[in-house]
Amino acid sequence: QVQLVESGGGSVQAGGSLRLSCAASGFSRNYMGWFRQAPGKEREGVASIYLIGGTTSYADSVKGRFTISQDNAKNTVTLQMNSLRPDDTAMYYCARGLWLRVAGAGPPLSPADFAYWGQGTQVTVSS
């Protein structure tokens, strides 16, 4: 059974940084991603990565500020978040992909393409 456990959330002032980690049980060969959901809003893809090859995808709103990476030895995926803004405030979720690969240049960012989800970690950015 796949289990995903997020850590690293917290509160920070605008302009600050946080680093989220996702520890995954079980061997994975496809892709993983980070999503976020603010109150009253739909869950949106933030970043994703193919575990073989390392190709990444980012939402336009986080390009240049967030970086997704993997540590295969530790079976973890991290999300480094810099230059945080108040509108980055949300519950952040780690997820593992549903398919082996998808069409297109990079891994997907749609929740429908992910099968397993963590419990989430809260990120709060104050102005």
Side-chain angles (χ1 to χ4, degrees), residues 3 14 28 32 34 44-45 55-56 76 96 99 104 119 121 125:
Q3 287 189 325
S28 178
M32 293 183 67
W34 285 95
E44 64 169 342
T55 304
T56 58
T76 60
R96 200 186 110 177
W99 318 108
Q119 294 299 307
T121 185
V125 184

Side-chain angles (χ1 to χ4, degrees), residues 104-119:
L109 288 172
S110 169
D113 290 312
F114 290 77
Y116 302 96
W117 297 85
Q119 294 299 307

Side-chain angles (χ1 to χ4, degrees), residues 24 26 42 50 57 60 69-70 80 122 125:
E42 293 186 354
Y50 275 124
S57 297
D60 288 343
S69 61
Q70 59 178 320
Q80 178 67 43
Q122 178 68 37
V125 184

Side-chain angles (χ1 to χ4, degrees), residues 9-109:
S11 297
V12 66
Q13 288 192 327
S17 298
L18 283 173
R19 185 178 179 89
L20 305 183
S21 291
C22 175
S25 66
F27 179 69
S28 178
R29 296 172 59 237
N30 52 355
Y31 52 92
M32 293 183 67
W34 285 95
F35 292 77
R36 65 186 181 187
Q37 187 167 19
K41 294 188 176 181
E42 293 186 354
R43 188 168 297 189
E44 64 169 342
V46 174
S48 57
I49 185 168
Y50 275 124
L51 299 179
I52 296 177
T55 304
T56 58
S57 297
Y58 293 94
D60 288 343
S61 59
V62 306
K63 282 180 181 176
R65 300 188 300 123
F66 291 11
T67 302
I68 188 171
S69 61
Q70 59 178 320
D71 184 335
N72 290 334
K74 297 180 180 179
N75 230 21
T76 60
V77 172
T78 60
L79 184 69
Q80 178 67 43
M81 305 185 295
N82 299 327
S83 301
L84 283 162
R85 310 185 304 217
D87 60 359
D88 293 318
T89 296
M91 185 71 79
Y92 282 70
Y93 298 90
C94 172
R96 200 186 110 177
L98 177 61
W99 318 108
L100 185 59
R101 294 187 80 85
V102 299
L109 288 172

